[in-house]
Amino acid sequence: MNNAKMWLVVKPTVGIPLFLSAVAISSFLVHLMLVLNTGWMADYYKGAFEEAAVITASETDIA
C-alpha cells in the first residue's frame, strides 16, 4: 500500500466511512445535476421521450 502512512494520521474507522460518504454524496450530486440540467431527462421520466423518438424516426423515413 503506497499510502500506508496516511493511517498514522487518520484512523481507518474515521477515514474509510468519510471516504465512502464523500463518494456517495458526489455521485448523488452528479446525478441530481444531470436530472435538473437536461431537458430530455424530464421528458423521458414523463413518458414523452418515446413519442419524440417515434416522431424523429418517422421524419427520417420521409426525408
Side-chain angles (χ1 to χ4, degrees):
M1 182 179 211
N2 293 336
N3 297 324
K5 291 182 182 180
M6 178 181 75
W7 299 117
L8 297 175
V9 179
V10 180
K11 291 183 181 181
T13 56
V14 174
I16 293 173
L18 188 65
F19 174 74
L20 293 176
S21 298
V23 169
I25 291 169
S26 62
S27 175
F28 175 75
L29 291 175
V30 166
H31 286 86
L32 180 65
M33 290 298 113
L34 180 67
V35 170
L36 293 178
N37 292 323
T38 57
W40 61 269
M41 219 40 175
D43 294 338
Y44 176 76
Y45 284 129
K46 291 178 187 174
F49 186 72
E50 291 180 16
E51 297 170 8
V54 171
I55 292 169
T56 305
S58 63
E59 288 175 358
T60 57
D61 291 340
I62 294 171

